[in-house]
Amino acid sequence: MEDFRDYEYARLISSVLTLYYFESLSQYQIAEQLGLSTAKVNRLLKQARQQGMVEIVLRTPFQTIFNLEQQFQSITGIKKAIIVPCLTENPEATTQLIGRAAANFLMEQIRDGDTICLGGGNGVRSVVQNITGRKIFDNITVVPALGGVQGRYETDVNNLAADLAQRLGAASYAFHAPAITDCAEERENLIQLRQVKEVLDIARGAQIALYGIGAVRPETASFFRFTSLREDEVKDLIADPNNTGEILAHILDPQGNVATPAFEQRVVGLGLPELDRIPLTIGIATSEEKVLPVVAAIRGGHVKALVTDEKTARAVIDLYQQS
């Protein structure tokens, strides 16, 4: 390696760097102008970077957001964070921005032959609505990860699975069972049915899982609006401060563990250990009330990729740094 402390050599490397970075000449053009070989120019540029002579500062639009994603991943340990800027105070508009970002990410991850399992709710709906079908895949299967909810057609998992499959040109399955039964005995009877076992087996073999990360409080949280729980059950779940978040109808404590074992025995769908074994799990979350649920989901290892908004992401980082 040449010695950059030599004056003449320092002038040469300065000329190469100026022509390359400030005048945007190609390596071939620089070689022609300075009477060097292209290989020599390439070597000089590489050595200059190795010696710390080049400092690159990115000033791309939303660079602070991209930096925030890197910080979020570093602090939380999550594999992938996709953060959208807060361009509006309208929650629905922000949800759509998140849905668009998540849809683009999902399309980048799908491979021929993949199975995608998903949950219901507004977050997943926003993703499905933003799938444009720009890419054509072969042999894709879409399947619900849990049972359905009566009276919520637009956000019900079976409807969303069928819609996503249509947009991807994929095959879809319907899950003809409720998301939550009235008692553990009802669930045990349901999961013994051949049709239910078939759907769950397909979901267990999925390569990608897509679902919303929900809040347990306040009472207006979508978890309660999209399920058919009795009023007294809702009040009991809200009253327990240990009930922090929700994924696919599983209630999480602050560390991401199952918070309500008795309630857990009534959920008809993938269990958390089964979900965690899926190679790519994509969680969708937005708004202040999702901060604690997101932290719980990450701590429990239930989400490998998170799509959220800037405010929520910064609040999660603050919480991690405080603890």
Side-chain angles (χ1 to χ4, degrees), residues 144-162:
L146 78 166
V149 177
Q150 292 290 338
R152 295 288 180 179
Y153 178 78
E154 71 282 0
T155 55
D156 179 66
V157 65
N158 284 311
N159 174 58
L160 293 175

Side-chain angles (χ1 to χ4, degrees), residues 117-120 145-146 209-212 223 246-250 267 269-270 275:
C117 70
L118 71 164
L146 78 166
L210 174 70
Y211 49 85
F223 174 69
E246 171 267 330
I247 291 177
L248 297 177
H250 302 290
V267 177
L270 291 185
L275 175 68

Side-chain angles (χ1 to χ4, degrees), residues 77-283:
I78 196 171
K79 292 184 178 179
K80 180 67 175 178
I82 300 170
I83 301 170
V84 302
C86 293
L87 303 177
T88 174
E89 295 298 322
N90 184 328
E92 180 58 31
T94 300
T95 298
Q96 284 302 312
L97 285 174
I98 289 174
R100 190 175 308 138
N104 290 336
F105 177 68
L106 177 63
M107 293 292 284
E108 293 170 358
Q109 305 306 310
I110 298 174
R111 299 293 182 267
D112 290 344
D114 277 352
T115 295
I116 305 166
C117 70
L118 71 164
N122 278 327
V124 175
R125 179 178 63 168
S126 71
V127 180
V128 174
Q129 288 176 336
N130 281 284
I131 295 291
T132 62
R134 295 183 299 272
K135 295 169 65 176
I136 303 299
F137 303 98
D138 291 327
N139 196 29
I140 300 297
T141 301
V142 182
V143 61
L146 78 166
V149 177
Q150 292 290 338
R152 295 288 180 179
Y153 178 78
E154 71 282 0
T155 55
D156 179 66
V157 65
N158 284 311
N159 174 58
L160 293 175
D163 191 0
L164 178 59
Q166 183 179 27
R167 292 169 187 260
L168 294 176
S172 68
Y173 285 78
F175 200 170
H176 297 301
I180 302 169
T181 60
D182 287 337
C183 62
E185 289 77 13
E186 285 185 0
R187 174 186 178 276
E188 287 301 315
N189 290 333
L190 272 175
I191 63 174
Q192 297 304 318
L193 294 176
R194 178 182 56 81
Q195 297 89 337
V196 172
K197 293 172 68 175
E198 179 185 32
V199 173
L200 283 176
D201 283 342
I202 295 171
R204 291 184 185 106
Q207 287 72 46
I208 301 173
L210 174 70
Y211 49 85
I213 299 175
V216 180
R217 292 178 295 276
E219 194 167 343
T220 55
S222 60
F223 174 69
F224 299 117
R225 290 187 286 116
F226 298 150
T227 55
S228 55
L229 296 177
R230 300 190 307 269
E231 184 177 348
D232 61 316
E233 293 177 320
V234 172
K235 290 181 178 179
D236 288 344
L237 289 171
I238 293 174
D240 189 341
N242 196 49
N243 297 340
T244 303
E246 171 267 330
I247 291 177
L248 297 177
H250 302 290
I251 307 297
L252 307 178
D253 68 12
Q255 299 304 316
N257 303 312
V258 171
T260 55
F263 184 83
E264 182 77 2
Q265 297 303 311
R266 297 164 53 189
V267 177
V268 184
L270 291 185
L272 288 177
E274 295 171 325
L275 175 68
D276 297 344
R277 285 193 288 269
I278 293 175
L280 176 59
T281 51
I282 307 172

